[in-house]
């Protein structure tokens, strides 16, 4: 198994099996101290702002995006964060506890910056944001705004890494799989120091080669404790004449709803900048839950026309039973553990929203259990009844099982052939 997998779900299983190790970590092992410090920073500074976005104007461009900017002041001299939305409706994005205003505009010329005449709106943020997140904001765009729009800011994509307490989420940077950001040590930071991971420029959607508008992008999404290098075999076997590989590097210790919501925004930004029409996704393990939550958010907002084939590999759609004990007894709880507990609210509602109408889910599971810790049917880490949760089967276009464990499913040439075959299918158009 790879180092990434050993630090992820397999590591959680071993942690629970070795009760003495757990007991020691509850009071102060280094990893839990790192996690506690990271969570404390998140609670102290980061907030979420959300609500409803509407427009008083009829748009000459139904496909043009809306941009919501979080600003440090009521004049727009300093940016804290931004996010691209495909259409009006429900919105949310990250802010800081001292953020002061929102400026929203309908980007009719797709310039990634406000142009005079575009429908826009200012909204001062409430004082209660200093103490807690807010989700009841009402933003209404009009042809005229009640104060001067933000002045002197460059196109928004040039400002990544300069905002939101120096959280630096990268988009469209070309890097090789050998990059240090994709190393096992980096994956460890993503589990135990999620905010530190994002501050150090490790998070984002990275390209493994320059963008080619003639080939369909395929985004690879790793699991808990893993990283983009886990997909080396699948990326190498990809039909590069038809597809181009992208990888998502994300802090796998973070709450999956937050990660899924963020992924929707990142892809919307990329789609605005590049204009691609279709994106396929291949996800391993917990990455499959992240992608399913992303697609659920797409359905809730009637967005993501780009959604194509989604291939999940050994994903715990029914949760991981040992994680429930960690949530109950650990002194510091990693946010993703709450998602993975079988009785969690996250899992209970994961399939409430359907897939977007143009998306197709291909569920791939492994059934080789070589583990000594459990003889339950599965791949040695994820039980078969979790991989094959009935709700997941019911919405899947195809099911395919392989005689693989949790790690080997990523290096099996037959799995690679299957992935290429389903990606090339004509159903997701």
């Amino acid at each position: 198994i790879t180092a990434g997998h050993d630090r992820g779900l397999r590591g959680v299983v071993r942690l629970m099996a070795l009760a003495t190790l757990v007991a020691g970590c509850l009071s102060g092992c280094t990893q839990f101290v790192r996690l506690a410090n990271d969570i404390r920073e998140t609670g102290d500074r980061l907030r979420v702002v959300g609500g409803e976005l509407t427009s008083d104007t009829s748009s000459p461009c139904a496909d043009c995006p809306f941009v919501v900017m979080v600003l440090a002041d009521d004049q727009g001299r300093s940016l804290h964060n931004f996010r691209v939305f495909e259409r009006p409706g429900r919105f949310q994005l990250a802010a800081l506890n001292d953020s002061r205003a929102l400026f929203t505009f309908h980007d009719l010329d797709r310039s990634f910056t406000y142009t005079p005449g575009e429908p826009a709106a200012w909204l001062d943020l409430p004082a209660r944001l200093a103490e807690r997140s807010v989700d009841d904001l009402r933003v209404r765009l009009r042809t005229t705004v009640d104060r001067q729009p933000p002045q002197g800011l460059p196109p928004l994509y040039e400002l990544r890494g300069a905002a939101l307490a120096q959280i630096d989420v990268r988009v469209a940077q070309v890097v090789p799989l050998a990059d240090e950001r994709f190393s096992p040590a980096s994956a460890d930071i993503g589990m135990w120091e999620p905010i530190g991971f994002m501050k150090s420029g490790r998070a984002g959607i990275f390209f493994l080669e320059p963008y080619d508008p003639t080939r369909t992008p395929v985004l690879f999404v790793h699991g808990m404790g893993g990283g983009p290098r886990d997909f080396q075999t699948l990326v190498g076997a990809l039909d590069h004449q038809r597809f181009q590989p992208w990888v998502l590097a994300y802090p796998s210790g973070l709450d999956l709803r937050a990660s899924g919501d963020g992924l929707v925004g990142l892809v919307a930004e990329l789609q605005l900048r590049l204009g691609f029409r279709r994106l396929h996704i291949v996800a391993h393990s917990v990455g499959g839950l992240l992608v399913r939550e992303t697609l659920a958010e797409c359905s809730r907002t009637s967005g993501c026309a780009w959604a194509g084939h989604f291939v999940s590999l050994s994903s715990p759609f029914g949760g991981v039973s040992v994680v429930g004990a960690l949530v109950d007894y650990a002194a510091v709880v990693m946010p993703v553990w709450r998602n993975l507990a079988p009785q969690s609210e996250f899992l209970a509602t994961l399939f409430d929203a359907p897939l977007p109408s143009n998306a197709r889910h291909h569920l791939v599971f492994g059934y080789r259990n070589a583990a000594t810790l459990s003889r339950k049917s599965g791949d040695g880490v994820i039980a078969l009844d979790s991989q094959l949760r009935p709700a997941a089967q019911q919405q899947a276009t195809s099911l395919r099982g392989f005689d693989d464990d949790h790690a080997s499913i990523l290096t099996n040439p037959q799995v690679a052939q299957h992935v290429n075959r389903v990606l090339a299918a004509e159903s997701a158009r």
Side-chain angles (χ1 to χ4, degrees), residues 177 204-222 228 231 233-249 263 267 270 274 276-284 291 306-313 360 362 415-416 418-425 428:
L177 279 177
I205 295 178
F206 297 89
F207 296 178
L208 301 182
E209 55 193 41
Y211 176 68
D212 180 355
T214 67
R215 292 183 291 151
T216 302
V218 178
L219 179 65
F220 292 88
V221 180
H222 63 80
F231 295 106
T233 297
L234 292 177
V235 167
L238 191 68
D239 182 351
H240 288 262
Q241 291 188 332
R242 303 183 65 163
F243 306 113
Q244 55 190 308
W246 297 355
V247 296
L248 175 69
L263 180 55
V267 176
L270 272 173
L274 302 177
F276 59 86
R277 299 185 62 184
R278 184 70 64 228
L279 172 68
H280 303 314
I281 306 179
V282 177
H284 178 238
V291 174
W306 47 261
H309 293 296
F310 160 41
V311 182
S312 64
L313 306 168
R360 301 290 183 271
H362 304 275
V415 174
H418 178 69
V419 169
N420 271 316
R421 185 163 52 251
V422 298
L423 293 183

Side-chain angles (χ1 to χ4, degrees), residues 296-352:
E297 178 63 16
C298 290
S299 289
R300 290 190 287 264
T301 59
S302 301
C304 308
W306 47 261
H309 293 296
F310 160 41
V311 182
S312 64
L313 306 168
S314 300
S315 291
F317 292 114
V320 183
S321 59
V322 297
V323 175
L326 281 173
V327 172
D328 290 338
Y329 296 111
V332 182
V333 176
M334 189 179 292
V336 71
W337 291 349
R338 300 187 189 278
N339 303 134
L340 294 175
Q343 304 306 316
S344 69
E345 187 270 341
F346 171 81
L347 289 177
T349 60
L350 182 61
F351 291 92
D352 285 359

Side-chain angles (χ1 to χ4, degrees), residues 90-156:
R90 186 75 188 164
F91 77 92
Q92 67 176 22
L93 70 165
L96 296 179
N97 59 350
D98 58 355
S99 297
R100 290 292 175 262
L102 300 182
F103 181 75
T104 305
F105 64 95
H106 195 180
D107 193 11
L108 298 179
D109 60 2
R110 298 176 177 267
S111 65
F112 240 109
T113 190
Y114 174 74
T115 301
E118 291 178 332
W122 278 99
L123 180 69
D124 292 322
L125 292 170
R128 68 181 188 276
L129 184 65
E131 302 298 329
R132 61 186 185 275
S133 297
V134 296
D135 63 357
D136 57 354
L137 304 176
R138 297 291 181 267
V139 179
R140 183 176 294 276
L141 275 65
R142 297 179 171 87
T143 53
T144 59
V145 292
D146 56 5
R147 71 185 80 150
Q148 185 77 8
Q151 300 294 306
L153 292 178
L156 292 174

Side-chain angles (χ1 to χ4, degrees), residues 357-401:
S357 60
N358 45 311
R360 301 290 183 271
H361 180 195
H362 304 275
L363 193 159
V364 177
F365 60 95
Y367 52 83
R368 181 193 299 167
N369 185 3
T372 59
L373 299 177
S374 173
R375 291 302 176 187
K376 188 174 183 179
S377 297
D379 66 2
V381 176
I382 308 300
L384 201 57
D385 59 359
S386 180
Q387 296 183 65
L388 295 176
R389 177 179 172 178
Q393 293 190 60
Q394 289 165 11
Q395 53 91 72
T397 296
S398 69
L399 300 173
R400 180 70 187 274

Side-chain angles (χ1 to χ4, degrees), residues 34-63:
R34 291 162 60 195
L35 180 61
N37 291 337
D38 199 88
I39 290 174
R40 186 179 304 113
E41 179 178 355
T42 303
D44 288 346
R45 291 229 60 199
L46 292 182
R47 301 288 184 267
V48 175
V49 294
E52 196 74 19
L53 173 63
T54 59
S55 179
D56 283 346
T57 65
S58 58
S59 174
C61 178
D63 296 329

